[in-house]
Amino acid sequence: MKELSLKRLQLALLFNSISIISYQIVLIQILSFVQWYHFAYMIISIAMLGFGTAGTVLFLFKDKLLKNSSKILPVILILSGLTMPIVVYLSQTSSIRFDTMLYFIGNYQIVKLLLTYVLFTIPFLLGALAIGIIFTKHVNSIGKLYFSNMIGSGFGGLLVLVLTWIFFPEKLPSVVGLFAVISGLVLFNRIKKEFYFISLFSSIILAICFLYSPELQPSEFKNRSKTLLLQDSKIIDRQTSPHGVIEIISSPMIRSADGLSLKFQGEVKGGYAIFSNGDLSGTLLSKNQNDSSNFLNYTTAQLPFVIKNRDKVLILNSGSGIEILRSLNAGAKSIVAVEPNTSLVDILTTKHPELNDSVYLSKRVSIHKTTARSFLLANDEKYDLIILPAVDAFGGTSGLYSLREQFHLTQEAMTDMLSQLSLDGAMMLNVWLDYPPRNSLKILATIAEAVENRGLTKLQNYVAAIKNWNYMTIIIKPNPITTEEEALVNDFCKSMLFDIVLSPTLISEERDRYNKLFDDQFYLLVDKIFSSKNDRESLFNEYVFNISPAADNKPFFSQFLKLENFNLLKKEFGDENIPFLELGYVLLYVTLIQILFVAIGLIILPLFKYGFSGKNKFGVLLYFGGIGFAYMFIEIIFIQMYTLYFGNPISSASTVICLMLVCSGIGSYATHKFKLVHNKSKLILAIILFLLLIQALFLRDILFATIHYSLSFKIMIAFILIAPSAFFMGMPFPIGIQKTSEQSPSLIPWAWGINGFASVIATVFATVIAVEIGFASVFWSAVLFYSLVIISIKTFEVKF
Amino acid sequence: MLKIIFTTITCLCIFFSGNDPYLLKRQGMVKTQIENRGIDHEETLKAMLKVERHLFVPEKFKDDAYNDNPLPIGFGQTISQPYIVAYMTAAINPKTNHKVLEIGTGSGYQAAVLAEIVKEVYTIEIVEELFSSAKKRIESLRYKNIKLKYADGYYGWKESAPFDAIVVTAAAEHIPPPLLEQLKDGGKMIIPIGTPFLNQNLVLVEKSGKDFKTKSLLPVRFVPFTRKK
């Protein structure tokens, strides 16, 4: 049988890699819409599980697969492409559709979850098997092949960004599946009739899947699903982007009035709400449409405007624009609205500005489409008022966002904000009074730390907090609250029947004058937070939930669960309430355990065939496992750092992934071009370590110093910083594979599988480390893994 | 004393109930789920013992009607857990001469419990299908003192206002101002309010002249269940 040419193989690898990486991102988009964001971890795991399983299959059936590779490769690549939309379709059928919120309730959810896992693994397994066959069979050209693989992956990461602007998530699997089908057709012998038949057949299947894509059904527990149950509700517009699906839903019963006074006698009129990936971003208020904003003056959040006129206002995560409307009504002369979701701003400025009085288009408003923290880091202007988004506004209490980084709620962010206030300025934030108290205490603890970080004492002199029955508004000043200001707070509360939770000369009876909480526990805890640093810290240790302030190193504001108290909480609140306590965090561990089991099983499994003994196997495990772990750890750290730098989480992540993979691909190509062999391994690893240590010392400072520069300059900086390390990080894998082929060629698929599995575990493990110890530890773990690889080469006489 | 009365009523119920196959379950429900959890409002206990909850749930859930949990009644709605029904009823301290407004008829169970105690019950349902089935059920059970309306409960029942008490059984994100207005001076309203869609507190609102006071009574939660389509 005629062998496939290297060029055709490279082209096939390129298309296949584009397809695989795109599919991974598409699945994250789909599952963020139908379920929640935490599925990102599971999808990355599933993808890598496919890679690992492919390695094992290849290891077990190597001879047969390699012998018939010319026939098998096109078939499995085409099947990979065709199964991409098909498995999504199947996963949406009622018998398989999984719901995170029901995970602990039963209803066969564990079976459904496993079925989802198996289904989604299929396209990855097939695509990865093709890569494995090509790598193993053409090991002498591994540098060039790995280059195509990496370039394809890098390009795929960018391409999918473009595709998500054009196609809705349900259409995307067919689109990205096309690339896998093309990769298979590239390897087909074009003279044969089968080529034309297969081309036509595949195109028809993909076209059908595209045209009749399944309707994605979000969990019934998502805000969108509940809103659509309201009377006369309908989706009036939807838009897709890398941020996810933005939808505007109308219903006369969508009424939201956070922090409303019992004195308000009018009507909170219903109308419209905007959703991002099925989660409520906010209701749309308008004075012009049906005067649905008339209640705003009767809410707790009006407090800063009652105390003082605010000319210059900064609104972070401005969302549906309610706070812009409030500020405009209150006479603010200049409003800076910061919103990272560009798609949300676009739909409200171009397609439906009338729904919120075109607030984003007001001459007094300037829009910045970036994250709150990036904006703060890049600007040093002073403001009379900084308004933060409501804490735990939508879904945080359910614990599904416990693993989402919220850099605007760290103590460093609060300290920055305080320094960006004018002399009489204030920052305002709102929080739902949750039970048991978590968000409310954690935000107050963060505020206390931030005020103290400025070297101030008598913290309560700088903070005022008021509440209605379930909503608290807090204002913080860089200078003490004056007697006049305090009197205005008192008057406002009396006229609106609000209670004062904190103020410089608070009388404890004022806390429950109009709205009594369940008990006094909340106030006792608040007093402890504001009494002294020692009291605060002992409270952090003793309290059943984690209410220590979030920090840049551990920016997980909504992570409250202390694992040691899990059983206690389960007993106290019951199994059915676990989803509301902290499902995201629990599922992270569930994922880690599942993946560990499967990974160990599938790595150990092939050893049964060849026995356990032999130094090489241990060396291969250490080498390929080590570089797999280290690479993913560094990638995750870079994504985190550059998200802060660029201010847009999705495009930042794609840029970093693309840059890293392309540079690593070039590095891999260099090993082929310059015939770098195993005796250079230690040197290359030492260079990587050196470059990483340089980054550890200077990266943060360089990024923060240049954060206010233009985007093109920042991309250049990112390239300069990422490229060298990524270039060298692309070398150890092809060098290792080449050496394995010389020493024990039968171990190549196993080595490749180990590398894949290490990447799976690393993704989930990195998050565990970040949550438990902090992001800095993830970086040092990567350094540790690269060091271990060097040591393993020497100590275990691994023959690389 | 309360125990003696309760036991007497129970015995009378057994005597007059004939072949009510759910009587024992209902007694168990009142004793273990309600009385043992501290609810001692006599009229509420009597009403909970009298109203046949199994007649208010879909046929397939009849045997589960007296279990300690809410049950789906279709259209994304539930019949509340018996304890919550009793708790909300006792919290407004209903009297025989009271006129009570209920928002969210659902199956009609809460209205029936209230109707056993007070003079008049006005109840509003926004889901047309639920309104129709509740109306039929209430009529077949011959509750003359329950008036039903198919409308958006947010606006209350202005023509029949003011009310001595208002019971809101559907979760709200804020206390609807029209309902506050329709409450009598000295009247009470109980309402589950909370963050959008997920967590609620049962809040008791008391009106005194033009002023109001609220008290958070009990954290409640939207407990997940699989909706039967």
Side-chain angles (χ1 to χ4, degrees):
Chain A
M1 187 177 290
K2 198 183 166 189
E3 284 298 325
L4 295 161
S5 72
L6 185 63
K7 280 198 175 157
R8 276 170 74 183
L9 287 169
Q10 276 188 275
L11 196 61
L13 267 178
L14 186 88
F15 278 112
N16 185 34
S17 307
I18 289 175
S19 181
I20 288 179
I21 198 95
S22 306
Y23 189 58
Q24 202 172 322
I25 293 167
V26 167
L27 284 187
I28 292 173
Q29 291 277 59
I30 288 174
L31 288 169
S32 297
F33 181 66
V34 296
Q35 292 289 304
W36 280 271
Y37 174 77
H38 65 266
F39 263 95
Y41 301 101
M42 291 181 123
I43 291 304
I44 295 166
S45 304
I46 287 168
M48 297 302 172
L49 186 66
F51 271 75
T53 314
T56 307
V57 171
L58 191 53
F59 186 72
L60 294 174
F61 308 103
K62 193 179 152 207
D63 294 341
K64 279 182 192 166
L65 290 170
L66 293 187
K67 195 178 164 192
N68 301 309
S69 65
S70 316
K71 270 187 179 175
I72 291 170
L73 277 173
V75 174
I76 54 176
L77 282 168
I78 289 168
L79 277 178
S80 163
L82 294 181
T83 50
M84 284 179 181
I86 291 170
V87 297
V88 171
Y89 183 85
L90 291 174
S91 73
Q92 286 300 296
T93 54
S94 59
S95 48
I96 299 177
R97 200 170 61 244
F98 165 76
D99 196 323
T100 313
M101 293 293 270
L102 298 171
Y103 189 82
F104 290 92
I105 312 295
N107 293 314
Y108 307 107
Q109 290 301 314
I110 183 79
V111 179
K112 289 182 174 187
L113 176 66
L114 288 174
L115 276 173
T116 309
Y117 251 98
V118 170
L119 274 180
F120 286 153
T121 304
I122 294 169
F124 291 112
L125 167 66
L126 293 167
L129 190 59
I131 297 173
I133 292 173
I134 295 172
F135 278 3
T136 313
K137 181 141 189 180
H138 304 273
V139 71
N140 292 333
S141 308
I142 185 72
K144 273 188 172 180
L145 293 169
Y146 195 54
F147 166 74
S148 303
N149 178 216
M150 292 296 227
I151 296 285
S153 302
F155 182 65
L158 283 187
L159 181 74
V160 75
L161 268 193
V162 179
L163 293 176
T164 50
W165 280 109
I166 305 167
F167 301 105
F168 280 95
E170 61 269 25
K171 303 280 183 197
L172 282 169
S174 311
V175 180
V176 301
L178 185 65
F179 290 98
V181 170
I182 292 172
S183 72
L185 294 176
V186 165
L187 298 181
F188 242 103
N189 188 345
R190 270 167 244 188
I191 305 158
K192 288 186 177 175
K193 278 183 188 168
E194 287 97 326
F195 172 78
Y196 298 104
F197 174 75
I198 297 287
S199 305
L200 188 68
F201 174 76
S202 311
S203 309
I204 290 171
I205 297 276
L206 286 180
I208 290 172
C209 291
F210 182 84
L211 293 172
Y212 300 98
S213 52
E215 189 192 339
L216 298 178
Q217 294 179 44
S219 159
E220 64 178 293
F221 301 102
K222 289 200 100 165
N223 300 158
R224 174 193 187 270
S225 308
K226 301 224 156 270
T227 306
L228 285 172
L229 284 173
L230 298 176
Q231 197 184 31
D232 299 330
S233 65
K234 60 179 177 203
I235 299 169
I236 62 161
D237 203 354
R238 64 196 304 248
Q239 191 169 292
T240 179
S241 79
H243 293 280
V245 179
I246 292 285
E247 291 170 306
I248 296 179
I249 298 178
S250 75
S251 163
M253 291 188 65
I254 295 175
R255 304 185 186 98
S256 182
D258 309 338
L260 188 66
S261 162
L262 289 160
K263 280 286 188 185
F264 179 68
Q265 295 193 335
E267 176 192 336
V268 178
K269 289 185 178 162
Y272 303 88
I274 189 160
F275 295 80
S276 175
N277 269 340
D279 291 324
L280 185 63
S281 293
T283 46
L284 296 165
L285 302 181
S286 159
K287 275 181 98 164
N288 301 330
Q289 290 279 307
N290 59 357
D291 198 10
S292 57
S293 70
N294 58 346
F295 68 89
L296 286 177
N297 292 342
Y298 291 81
T299 56
T300 52
Q302 195 65 20
L303 180 65
F305 294 104
V306 170
I307 296 174
K308 196 179 175 294
N309 287 335
R310 312 282 175 179
D311 287 344
K312 208 169 170 189
V313 179
L314 168 65
I315 301 168
L316 302 174
N317 292 17
S318 46
S320 62
I322 291 176
E323 292 308 325
I324 302 178
L325 191 61
R326 184 197 300 280
S327 304
L328 285 170
N329 291 350
K333 288 176 184 158
S334 157
I335 299 165
V336 178
V338 177
E339 173 55 54
N341 192 328
T342 47
S343 182
L344 187 144
V345 176
D346 289 346
I347 202 168
L348 290 178
T349 49
T350 57
K351 292 172 88 177
H352 300 283
E354 76 287 354
L355 296 181
N356 67 347
D357 288 354
S358 310
V359 289
Y360 276 110
L361 300 174
S362 165
K363 284 180 182 166
R364 288 187 272 162
V365 177
S366 60
I367 311 168
H368 293 261
K369 296 172 186 173
T370 181
T371 59
R373 191 66 199 287
S374 303
F375 179 85
L376 288 167
L377 287 168
N379 289 274
D380 51 10
E381 280 188 51
K382 300 276 182 191
Y383 299 93
D384 297 321
L385 177 65
I386 298 177
I387 302 177
L388 280 96
V391 178
D392 183 42
F394 312 113
T397 295
S398 70
L400 288 161
Y401 292 97
S402 55
L403 303 178
R404 181 165 275 187
E405 299 97 329
Q406 298 183 77
F407 284 103
H408 62 284
L409 292 178
T410 64
Q411 47 178 309
E412 291 91 339
M414 297 274 171
T415 311
D416 285 353
M417 282 180 227
L418 282 172
S419 65
Q420 282 182 245
L421 289 170
S422 59
L423 219 57
D424 259 346
M427 41 187 279
M428 172 182 80
L429 42 83
N430 299 288
V431 58
W432 293 91
L433 293 170
D434 47 354
Y435 186 87
R438 287 159 288 166
N439 283 289
S440 44
L441 294 179
K442 194 159 185 168
I443 199 66
L444 287 171
T446 310
I447 290 165
E449 293 281 335
V451 173
E452 211 165 65
N453 286 350
R454 290 172 60 85
L456 304 171
T457 51
K458 291 196 175 174
L459 309 183
Q460 61 273 26
N461 287 351
Y462 301 85
V463 184
I466 65 171
K467 70 165 175 62
N468 74 347
W469 53 83
N470 66 345
Y471 199 73
M472 180 164 72
T473 292
I474 309 163
I475 58 168
I476 310 111
K477 285 189 66 190
N479 293 304
I481 292 168
T482 62
T483 318
E484 293 77 32
E485 287 171 335
E486 200 177 358
L488 288 168
V489 173
N490 279 325
D491 292 347
F492 180 58
C493 285
K494 271 183 196 160
S495 65
M496 293 289 164
L497 309 183
F498 295 142
D499 303 301
I500 303 171
V501 179
L502 279 167
S503 77
T505 57
L506 175 80
I507 304 160
S508 60
E509 290 74 41
E510 287 175 329
R511 286 175 154 168
D512 262 351
R513 187 182 292 169
Y514 304 108
N515 304 284
K516 254 180 126 56
L517 296 181
F518 302 111
D519 51 43
D520 289 340
Q521 190 208 17
F522 174 66
Y523 305 123
L524 294 173
L525 296 169
V526 170
D527 287 339
K528 215 167 181 183
I529 286 172
F530 280 85
S531 60
S532 73
K533 197 170 179 70
N534 283 343
D535 278 357
R536 196 157 58 242
E537 273 166 10
S538 68
L539 175 67
F540 297 159
N541 288 330
E542 290 160 14
Y543 195 55
V544 70
F545 291 103
N546 168 26
I547 53 162
S548 307
D552 280 357
N553 190 33
K554 288 166 80 175
F556 307 98
F557 183 86
S558 303
Q559 197 280 304
F560 301 105
L561 185 66
K562 288 180 177 174
L563 272 186
E564 67 267 28
N565 292 337
F566 183 65
N567 282 333
L568 179 81
L569 293 168
K570 226 171 106 171
K571 204 174 154 190
E572 183 81 11
F573 294 99
D575 280 1
E576 73 276 15
N577 281 318
I578 291 173
F580 298 97
L581 288 173
E582 202 139 324
L583 190 59
Y585 188 51
V586 174
L587 278 185
L588 175 71
Y589 279 91
V590 171
T591 308
L592 183 66
I593 292 164
Q594 284 170 347
I595 291 297
L596 266 175
F597 263 105
V598 180
I600 291 168
L602 287 177
I603 292 171
I604 301 293
L605 185 69
L607 290 178
F608 282 103
K609 194 174 174 185
Y610 293 98
F612 282 88
S613 60
K615 259 187 183 175
N616 265 3
K617 285 197 188 83
F618 189 59
V620 166
L621 179 71
L622 273 181
Y623 185 88
F624 288 98
I627 59 172
F629 261 108
Y631 195 98
M632 286 307 285
F633 279 2
I634 293 297
E635 189 172 292
I636 285 164
I637 286 293
F638 278 176
I639 289 172
Q640 186 245 346
M641 290 299 293
Y642 287 95
T643 298
L644 208 56
Y645 189 56
F646 288 115
N648 185 318
I650 294 155
S651 51
S652 311
S654 299
T655 309
V656 169
I657 292 171
C658 177
L659 263 178
M660 278 196 76
L661 293 176
V662 170
C663 293
S664 295
I666 296 169
S668 165
Y669 187 78
T671 59
H672 179 82
K673 182 87 179 164
F674 302 110
K675 300 198 168 25
L676 296 176
V677 286
H678 70 282
N679 55 8
K680 300 280 189 247
S681 279
K682 275 185 268 181
L683 176 67
I684 290 165
L685 287 162
I687 294 171
I688 294 170
L689 275 176
F690 173 73
L691 289 170
L692 291 181
L693 289 172
I694 294 282
Q695 305 241 14
L697 291 174
F698 303 111
L699 182 66
R700 193 181 164 89
D701 291 339
I702 294 171
L703 294 185
F704 280 25
T706 56
I707 198 164
H708 54 282
Y709 286 19
S710 68
L711 180 67
S712 49
F713 186 81
K714 279 159 74 172
I715 291 175
M716 202 174 75
I717 296 274
F719 178 78
I720 293 168
L721 291 170
I722 292 173
S725 29
F727 174 78
F728 286 103
M729 284 162 69
M731 292 181 174
F733 181 79
I735 290 177
I737 289 284
Q738 213 160 22
K739 191 63 200 167
T740 312
S741 77
E742 289 164 19
Q743 298 284 327
S744 343
S746 61
L747 285 178
I748 292 176
W750 194 60
W752 180 67
I754 288 169
N755 190 255
F757 272 126
S759 312
V760 182
I761 300 163
T763 316
V764 187
F765 211 57
T767 313
V768 173
I769 296 173
V771 172
E772 299 296 343
I773 324 173
F775 270 112
S777 310
V778 179
F779 179 87
W780 290 113
S781 303
V783 171
L784 184 73
F785 272 109
Y786 274 129
S787 312
L788 275 176
V789 173
I790 296 182
I791 294 165
S792 73
I793 293 173
K794 206 176 171 185
T795 313
F796 299 103
E797 294 172 7
V798 178
K799 293 171 184 168
F800 290 128
Chain B
M1 181 64 186
L2 190 72
K3 276 190 177 169
I4 298 168
I5 296 169
F6 184 72
T7 315
T8 316
I9 295 165
T10 309
C11 293
L12 287 171
C13 283
I14 294 168
F15 183 77
F16 289 112
S17 65
N19 294 324
D20 180 356
Y22 293 97
L23 182 63
L24 280 175
K25 279 192 171 187
R26 201 154 58 247
Q27 285 169 337
M29 171 191 87
V30 173
K31 183 77 189 157
T32 57
Q33 297 173 35
I34 300 169
E35 213 188 344
N36 285 358
R37 283 179 179 153
I39 293 176
D40 55 6
H41 188 261
E42 205 177 309
E43 287 77 12
T44 301
L45 295 174
K46 274 192 224 168
M48 294 293 291
L49 192 62
K50 190 170 176 195
V51 179
E52 296 173 281
R53 187 175 158 93
H54 61 275
L55 301 178
F56 292 82
V57 301
E59 190 65 32
K60 60 189 163 194
F61 294 124
K62 264 194 166 171
D63 287 340
D64 303 321
Y66 297 96
N67 290 356
D68 191 16
N69 51 263
L71 290 168
I73 54 169
F75 308 95
Q77 307 300 314
T78 55
I79 177 173
S80 298
Q81 180 187 5
Y83 173 69
I84 294 295
V85 174
Y87 188 92
M88 291 177 84
T89 309
I92 57 163
N93 193 17
K95 307 279 183 213
T96 47
N97 61 342
H98 274 180
K99 182 163 73 171
V100 178
L101 171 67
E102 186 206 13
I103 307 297
T105 313
S107 66
Y109 179 65
Q110 173 78 69
V113 170
L114 286 166
E116 294 291 341
I117 307 169
V118 303
K119 192 177 159 196
E120 286 174 292
V121 178
Y122 292 79
T123 179
I124 303 173
E125 176 55 54
I126 194 161
V127 181
E128 195 172 2
E129 293 84 349
L130 288 178
F131 165 76
S132 303
S133 61
K135 193 167 189 291
K136 269 186 208 161
R137 190 175 294 123
I138 297 287
E139 280 168 2
S140 71
L141 293 170
R142 297 192 180 150
Y143 281 104
K144 303 282 184 205
N145 59 343
I146 299 178
K147 292 180 178 62
L148 294 99
K149 185 160 98 168
Y150 163 56
D152 181 355
Y154 186 85
Y155 301 101
W157 199 319
K158 207 172 176 181
E159 310 86 271
S160 306
F163 299 97
D164 296 287
I166 298 176
V167 177
V168 184
T169 55
E173 184 251 340
H174 63 268
I175 301 170
L179 298 185
L180 290 172
E181 208 180 315
Q182 291 172 27
L183 202 57
K184 262 186 196 170
D185 188 8
K188 290 177 179 179
M189 173 179 359
I190 186 150
I191 176 169
I193 43 178
T195 53
F197 309 116
L198 281 175
N199 310 296
Q200 289 98 37
N201 295 335
L202 267 185
V203 173
L204 184 72
V205 185
E206 290 181 88
K207 189 172 183 176
S208 168
K210 285 188 173 177
D211 281 344
F212 298 91
K213 284 190 176 181
T214 72
K215 182 169 177 17
S216 296
L217 297 177
L218 185 76
V220 286
R221 223 178 273 277
F222 180 84
V223 177
F225 66 93
T226 309
R227 194 179 310 137
K228 308 281 187 235
K229 305 250 177 182

